[in-house]
Amino acid sequence: MPVRSKRKARIAAMKALYAVDVGGQTPDDAIHEAITAADLAEPYAQFAADAVRGVLSSGEELKSVIEGHSQGFTFDRMAAVDRSILLLAAWEMQAGREDPAVAINEAIEIAKAYSTEDSGRFVNGILGTIARLLPGREARILDGKELSKRVREGLKARVYALSKRGVQPRLEVLVAADDPASQTYVKMKRKWAEEVGILTGTFEVGANTTQEELLERIHALNEDATVHGILLQHPLPAHLNESAALEALGHRKDVDGISPQSLGRLVAGMPGFRAATPLGMMRLLDEHEIDVAGKRAVVIGRSVILGKPAALMLLERHATVTICHSRTEGLREICRFADVLVAAVGRAEMVRGDWIKPGAVVLDAGYNRVEGRKGDVGDVAFDEALEVAGWITPVPGGVGPMTVAMLLSNVVDAAETATP
């Protein structure tokens, strides 16, 4: 059923339930009047009638469920319109007549239109809790590890085609010499690059490297026609001005997409390399045909390498975006309205299951070490989120592998663009 027509049917059903509850009408009279007033044709009239009768036949059970998740509100104390909206949505979910995420979204919109300013939030909170307890619900996994393999296989073919034209894609990396974590990460990036046929080189930035030497190296690489991509592995040694280095890099070979010029081109909607981590997120959405146009997206995190570009890329796809951070007031409540939730705040399992709207897409970009825990932990409490979300990236194996794959894809793009 088209969304607008089905919403009209839901509104008619809500009004009929209200008339029975407050006006004392018989169900048949209330249904007839509501359907006639809404001028509903089939199959929408039948949906509205079935919904009203379904709610009334399960009324006491539904009221008990709603009251049990209302945080102290008795059912009778709730606004009459809110009661009707909650009963209708709860019935749709429990009867399996509608996807929980859709039922909740519709209830929120109807509450905003026909009840008080706070009703949308109130309805969302109760229905979200009910949805989380529905049997057999588990999020689908956005498998970045598997998709990354397929992306890299595709890159091999493109690199081979370039080699036939006498071009070998080349990536140069500038990395802190005394940072073991960065060294390990760069080693893995170089390994994957070489597997697809990309040449790599490394310049180790040490404690004795001056700012002038660093900028000279960047300038030389920018002028070298055989170099297609340059990566400044964050963080550089503390005595160096990393912002100045990124500014010197510019946008032409910034395959990580984080220089001021690259970010400016993103803001302006101009062509250029996009930041690898959020680009990997967008590629995961594309792979699973997840359309974010018109959806509410919440990004927790405001870094220039992740949070901000992720928000801008979602905006490019016509999502309605809210940027939050660790100091945002009412963060949990804001997240509960998100159809797409990006966690990039760098705090282990900060986002709990009850922060997540049922059916939401959850993109977890966090990689945190927790004492006593084996392996990396994301910013999202995965086991809790798995029972609520519609789609979710695991940690590890979600966003991380896609970051490297998109970096390498940008290098190959650069080589193809530079080739006559």
Side-chain angles (χ1 to χ4, degrees):
M1 295 183 183
V3 173
R4 288 183 180 176
S5 297
K6 199 166 184 180
R7 182 174 296 174
K8 282 181 64 179
R10 286 190 175 97
I11 292 169
M14 178 271 292
K15 289 181 176 179
L17 289 169
Y18 181 89
V20 172
D21 180 22
V22 177
Q25 281 188 277
T26 66
D28 287 344
D29 286 346
I31 291 168
H32 176 74
E33 286 187 15
I35 288 174
T36 302
D39 193 23
L40 291 178
E42 298 297 348
Y44 309 109
Q46 189 62 53
F47 170 83
D50 289 347
V52 174
R53 294 191 177 101
V55 168
L56 294 176
S57 66
S58 306
E60 293 308 312
E61 179 188 347
L62 292 173
K63 289 175 185 178
S64 177
V65 170
I66 291 166
E67 194 170 276
H69 300 296
S70 63
Q71 298 182 342
F73 277 88
T74 63
F75 189 80
D76 291 338
R77 282 183 57 210
M78 298 175 192
V81 173
D82 292 351
R83 292 199 299 262
S84 298
I85 293 169
L86 286 165
L87 285 168
L88 176 61
W91 172 79
E92 284 196 82
M93 290 192 292
Q94 294 210 328
R97 298 293 294 267
E98 186 59 90
D99 179 89
V102 175
I104 293 170
N105 271 339
E106 289 293 289
I108 291 169
E109 295 304 319
I110 294 170
K112 287 179 181 177
Y114 288 90
S115 192
T116 66
E117 276 188 26
D118 296 329
S119 288
R121 192 181 302 274
F122 177 69
V123 163
N124 183 40
I126 294 174
L127 294 177
T129 305
I130 293 171
R132 282 194 295 277
L133 299 176
L134 291 173
R137 283 185 50 78
E138 190 168 282
R140 286 166 285 184
I141 301 298
L142 294 165
D143 189 342
K145 187 176 180 180
E146 181 59 34
L147 179 56
S148 171
K149 288 179 183 177
R150 296 203 300 274
V151 169
R152 284 179 281 139
E153 284 300 316
L155 292 177
K156 282 184 184 179
R158 292 168 60 190
V159 170
Y160 178 76
L162 282 168
S163 70
K164 290 296 185 182
R165 294 152 61 187
V167 177
Q168 192 75 42
R170 180 176 159 198
L171 170 67
E172 290 289 331
V173 182
L174 291 84
V175 58
D178 300 321
D179 187 328
S182 290
Q183 289 283 345
T184 299
Y185 197 25
V186 166
K187 184 178 179 181
M188 184 264 287
K189 289 177 178 177
R190 291 187 62 186
K191 176 177 179 291
W192 283 14
E194 289 161 6
E195 284 177 356
V196 303
I198 297 173
L199 297 176
T200 64
T202 301
F203 177 73
E204 294 197 345
V205 184
N208 295 322
T209 303
T210 66
Q211 186 75 21
E212 183 179 4
E213 289 171 336
L214 175 63
L215 296 181
E216 285 177 356
R217 180 68 177 180
I218 292 170
H219 177 73
L221 293 173
N222 267 329
E223 294 301 311
D224 188 341
T226 67
V227 175
H228 302 101
I230 304 170
L231 170 66
L232 268 68
Q233 182 64 48
H234 174 82
L236 293 179
H239 71 283
L240 296 171
N241 185 334
E242 191 169 318
S243 295
L246 286 167
E247 189 169 358
L249 172 59
H251 75 275
R252 287 191 306 111
K253 299 185 180 183
D254 173 27
V255 288
D256 209 20
I258 61 172
S259 71
Q261 295 91 330
S262 294
L263 293 169
R265 295 177 79 85
L266 172 59
V267 171
M270 297 171 64
F273 297 117
R274 301 313 193 212
T277 299
L279 185 60
M281 294 178 181
M282 301 305 113
R283 182 69 177 80
L284 280 166
L285 295 177
D286 291 340
E287 178 69 14
H288 296 279
E289 299 181 344
I290 299 172
D291 184 7
V292 301
K295 304 296 185 183
R296 298 182 184 90
V298 171
V299 178
I300 313 174
R302 50 184 168 175
S303 72
V304 296
I305 64 173
L306 216 174
K308 290 176 181 175
L312 289 165
M313 289 185 202
L314 287 165
L315 189 62
E316 277 190 322
R317 291 167 176 241
H318 309 297
T320 301
V321 183
T322 301
I323 301 178
C324 301
H325 44 81
S326 59
R327 298 184 185 182
T328 299
E329 294 183 0
L331 181 57
R332 173 181 175 273
E333 288 72 24
I334 294 171
C335 291
R336 285 177 64 110
F337 277 92
D339 302 302
V340 180
L341 180 60
V342 176
V345 73
R347 293 191 180 184
E349 298 183 334
M350 175 179 172
V351 178
R352 312 305 302 189
D354 63 359
W355 290 32
I356 297 168
K357 179 180 180 180
V361 178
V362 179
L363 301 167
D364 187 354
Y367 282 86
N368 310 284
R369 290 287 183 179
V370 177
E371 189 174 348
R373 299 276 291 274
K374 185 178 179 180
D376 292 317
V377 174
D379 289 352
V380 177
F382 181 79
D383 289 343
E384 296 177 16
L386 196 63
E387 299 178 3
V388 188
W391 295 91
I392 188 169
T393 56
V395 176
V399 173
M402 290 305 301
T403 297
V404 183
M406 291 300 98
L407 171 71
L408 302 183
S409 181
N410 281 345
V411 175
V412 177
D413 285 347
E416 289 173 339
T417 302
T419 304

